[in-house]
Amino acid sequence: MIGSAAHCARCAEPAVPARPLPPGVAVRYGTVLAFAIPLRLLPVLLLLVYVTVGVQSLVTKAAGETAGTFTAAVVLAAVTTVLDRRPSMPARLVLLLAGFFTLTVGSLGMRGLTTLAGGHVIAGFTDLLKLVTIVTAIALGLMAGATLTARGDDLARDRA
């Protein structure tokens, strides 16, 4: 009977036992849906995310946050440039999306502005300076990775 305690207890239990998703799966699935990327590319996007996070984590431990972010951006751009050459793969920009969102630091800028508004000038400007540094590292890393793996026919195809 709808509305009874027995009905509510039955509905509260999931039909399928809940298992936690591996890190990044839900976010990348959201990326696939938000950008209308074919679902068959989800494994490739996940691999790009895990490679990006792995490189960033390893290099960050060894050389610091900026170096880790820069190196991860170089690797991401290089791998997506190479994958872009395969006819079965989508454009490089589509492949870059998943890893790029892994590298971005949008909350850092918001935290800096909030801290400034709260009257903590030094801490606020420190966060904003870190934001500018990380964003610059991402941009330079993406350009470096694409440049290092570019071929003459890539440039001709991009102009066409």
Side-chain angles (χ1 to χ4, degrees):
M1 173 180 198
I2 295 179
S4 69
H7 178 266
C8 292
R10 244 182 325 174
C11 292
E13 293 197 25
V16 178
R19 289 184 218 144
L21 292 172
V25 172
V27 172
R28 290 321 129 214
Y29 189 71
T31 302
V32 165
L33 293 175
F35 292 101
I37 299 170
L39 193 57
R40 68 179 172 78
L41 294 174
L42 183 61
V44 175
L45 296 178
L46 282 172
L47 181 63
L48 288 169
V49 167
Y50 290 139
V51 167
T52 303
V53 169
V55 168
Q56 184 178 25
S57 297
L58 289 172
V59 177
T60 295
K61 287 183 191 238
E65 184 178 17
T66 304
T69 301
F70 174 78
T71 306
V74 169
V75 170
L76 175 65
V79 170
T80 57
T81 299
V82 171
L83 287 175
D84 179 51
R85 294 180 187 138
R86 298 179 66 189
S88 62
M89 287 291 144
R92 182 179 333 149
L93 182 60
V94 173
L95 295 171
L96 275 171
L97 283 172
F100 178 77
F101 287 126
T102 303
L103 293 173
T104 56
V105 290
S107 64
L108 193 56
M110 191 57 110
R111 187 174 70 196
L113 292 174
T114 303
T115 306
L116 276 175
H120 304 284
V121 177
I122 294 174
F125 277 115
T126 301
D127 283 345
L128 291 176
L129 179 61
K130 188 184 255 189
L131 170 72
V132 170
T133 304
I134 297 297
V135 167
T136 304
I138 293 170
L140 292 175
L142 290 174
M143 288 189 302
T147 302
L148 289 172
T149 54
R151 298 184 314 196
D153 58 337
D154 289 337
L155 298 174
R157 187 186 67 222
D158 288 345
R159 288 189 191 132

